[in-house]
Amino acid sequence: MPLPLVTDYEHGISAIDAQFHRPKRAAIHLLVEKGAAALIDTGTSFSIPGVIESLKQKNIAVEDVAYIILTHIHLDHAGGASECMHLFPNARLVVHPRGASHMANPARLVAGAMSVYGETEFKRVYGEIHPIDVERIIEAPDESRIDLNGRSLLFLDTPGHARHHNCIYDERSQSFFTGDTFGVSYREFDVNGLEFVFPTTSPVQFDPEAAHASIDRIMRYAPRYAYLTHYSQIGNLAHHAESMHTLIDAHVTIAQSAKDSGSDRQSIISDALRKLLLERLSEHGCRLPQAESDELLRSDIRLNTQGLIHWLDQPADRFKRL
Amino acid sequence: MSSCFVSSYLSTKILEFLDERMKLMRTVNLSAELHSPFATATTGTPDWMRFNLTQRF
């Protein structure tokens, strides 16, 4: 029996499975306030038929979607944005100022992703990405807000994972939509209601100092829940914030210890990250077979390794100079 | 030249100077607006957020 596409929470919040690579890998969050809807992140263009199906189940018309909000413009979060703007005629796209121009003209974004994946694989994973009309794009700088039928959403600039990253505070639910800033947490790793969270240091803008600061900034709001794109609602946030700080430092230590290992850096860092996460999972009480944990972690370990190597190769003051 | 003429001349020059300054300011503002073609979400911390933050801290 297939897993349900939609998970409903309180305060009109739902997670729609973006069906990205595997079930419950990436979530598209839906907020509904008195008949008006907002989507937070979009998955890829292949995720959008599932969004349409979910809206139909909830009797929400395409005309009622007021906002497509992007936490950041990595393509597992923003790849479906142009398809959304095509299908939702009244929607406006809300995006970090550093990401807005790439949504209006995605040529560089697409070229960058194609150079990593190759054209065939890119189109297989992400499909078509089209420019979005400038008139329909709203930039959301730090501490800006939008109104969803009387429900105020506050945007915080939260670098660390990416410099075009916003986290969105929903006052109604006293919760944050954190994209990738508060790490990733797969539901398969839950043990007795406690989640396992770990950082995502993927290329090319990982900045540990900013990542720590962004987590602290989120926690100053004493949120009840965080809704992660990978994957959805987590509680116990004080515990997870502490764990994220520790794990970010551990990632940095692993990277720095391999700094002078030349062409072996990749395997040294990758093996050390795997060991770290499997040990932490064991301490967490996870009893999944190791092969299953390996499979769930494989892609993140690969991306985190690439991001750490890229970070090692940057001048120390890289972000301060920009 | 009468003092009236001098006063009038200076006033005119001052007004011209101020007008130029205003034009410059308008240009600067317009440039700032043109720098980004996108609309901007409302900025600033709303009152309800200040209240809530005070309560929670």
Side-chain angles (χ1 to χ4, degrees):
Chain A
M1 190 175 159
L3 291 168
L5 200 60
V6 181
T7 308
D8 289 322
Y9 305 103
E10 54 187 354
H11 299 293
I13 299 170
S14 303
I16 302 169
D17 193 335
Q19 306 169 84
F20 181 67
H21 289 309
R22 66 170 186 256
K24 296 194 184 296
R25 171 88 191 272
I28 298 162
H29 286 104
L30 169 69
L31 260 80
V32 181
E33 181 67 26
K34 298 191 276 286
L39 293 170
I40 300 179
D41 285 339
T42 68
T44 72
S45 57
F46 298 119
S47 310
I48 307 309
V51 173
I52 298 290
E53 179 59 34
S54 305
L55 293 176
K56 270 185 195 161
Q57 287 174 16
K58 291 177 173 297
N59 292 318
I60 297 167
V62 290
E63 291 81 6
D64 294 333
V65 178
Y67 296 113
I68 306 297
I69 299 168
L70 302 179
T71 58
H72 61 302
I73 62 167
H74 287 164
L75 290 176
D76 51 333
H77 299 252
S82 62
E83 184 69 3
C84 283
M85 299 306 282
H86 174 66
L87 292 170
F88 305 131
N90 299 323
R92 300 191 76 186
L93 184 82
V94 188
V95 61
H96 190 285
R98 290 183 192 278
S101 61
H102 294 288
M103 291 290 100
N105 179 6
R108 279 174 58 202
L109 196 62
V110 170
M114 273 190 187
S115 71
V116 173
Y117 296 103
E119 187 173 349
T120 309
E121 180 66 1
F122 174 85
K123 289 201 167 167
R124 188 186 72 78
V125 176
Y126 297 110
E128 296 289 335
I129 293 171
H130 300 288
I132 293 170
D133 182 358
V134 166
E135 298 290 320
R136 297 179 69 191
I137 296 177
I138 299 173
E139 284 185 345
D142 189 40
E143 293 202 351
S144 63
R145 59 197 154 98
I146 59 169
D147 179 285
L148 179 68
N149 241 359
R151 182 170 180 165
S152 196
L153 302 175
L154 176 75
F155 289 74
L156 297 186
D157 182 12
T158 48
H161 172 75
R163 295 177 66 240
H164 43 83
H165 200 301
N166 273 326
C167 286
I168 299 107
Y169 184 67
D170 171 30
E171 195 263 351
R172 171 72 49 82
S173 63
Q174 298 179 344
S175 298
F176 266 100
F177 295 88
T178 56
D180 287 350
T181 296
F182 209 89
V184 303
S185 175
Y186 299 125
R187 299 284 59 80
E188 292 90 335
F189 292 141
D190 289 356
V191 176
N192 299 327
L194 183 61
E195 308 89 352
F196 178 73
V197 181
F198 62 100
T200 166
T201 65
S202 54
V204 291
Q205 294 180 339
F206 172 59
D207 177 355
E209 203 176 314
H212 284 302
S214 290
I215 290 165
D216 287 341
R217 192 172 183 205
I218 287 168
M219 291 308 294
R220 277 187 214 114
Y221 288 76
R224 293 177 62 218
Y225 295 105
Y227 292 89
L228 285 54
T229 302
H230 314 281
Y231 186 92
S232 205
Q233 189 193 63
I234 60 168
N236 311 297
L237 295 186
H239 167 81
H240 293 315
E242 206 51 50
S243 180
M244 278 289 288
H245 284 310
T246 306
L247 282 172
I248 289 167
D249 287 341
H251 277 58
V252 166
T253 302
I254 285 170
Q256 284 172 332
S257 68
K259 190 170 186 290
D260 300 319
S261 302
S263 59
D264 293 334
R265 283 191 309 183
Q266 182 151 345
S267 60
I268 290 172
I269 293 173
S270 175
D271 290 348
L273 291 183
R274 176 175 175 268
K275 184 168 178 286
L276 169 74
L277 293 178
L278 288 176
E279 279 175 5
R280 287 305 176 105
L281 270 173
S282 176
E283 291 163 17
H284 172 64
C286 177
R287 296 290 170 262
L288 286 179
Q290 188 170 304
E292 199 171 326
S293 296
D294 268 332
E295 189 55 36
L296 290 164
L297 294 171
R298 188 186 315 280
S299 160
D300 290 292
I301 289 174
R302 191 180 68 243
L303 280 169
N304 281 5
T305 301
Q306 290 170 355
L308 289 171
I309 288 173
H310 190 274
W311 171 73
L312 280 176
D313 290 340
Q314 302 307 305
D317 64 343
R318 175 193 181 199
F319 293 109
K320 290 185 178 70
R321 288 184 291 110
L322 292 173
Chain B
M1 270 195 305
S2 70
S3 61
C4 183
F5 175 78
V6 171
S7 173
S8 172
Y9 175 78
L10 285 175
S11 298
T12 305
K13 284 294 170 197
I14 288 167
L15 284 173
E16 280 175 7
F17 171 73
L18 288 175
D19 195 39
E20 283 303 309
R21 289 284 299 168
M22 290 301 288
K23 273 187 200 165
L24 183 63
M25 286 168 71
R26 280 197 295 272
T27 309
V28 169
N29 287 339
L30 190 60
S31 300
E33 284 164 19
L34 288 176
H35 180 67
S36 171
F38 310 106
T40 305
T42 317
T43 51
T45 306
D47 288 342
W48 59 260
M49 183 61 70
R50 289 200 185 92
F51 174 76
N52 278 355
L53 287 175
T54 310
Q55 293 292 304
R56 282 186 208 142
F57 293 139

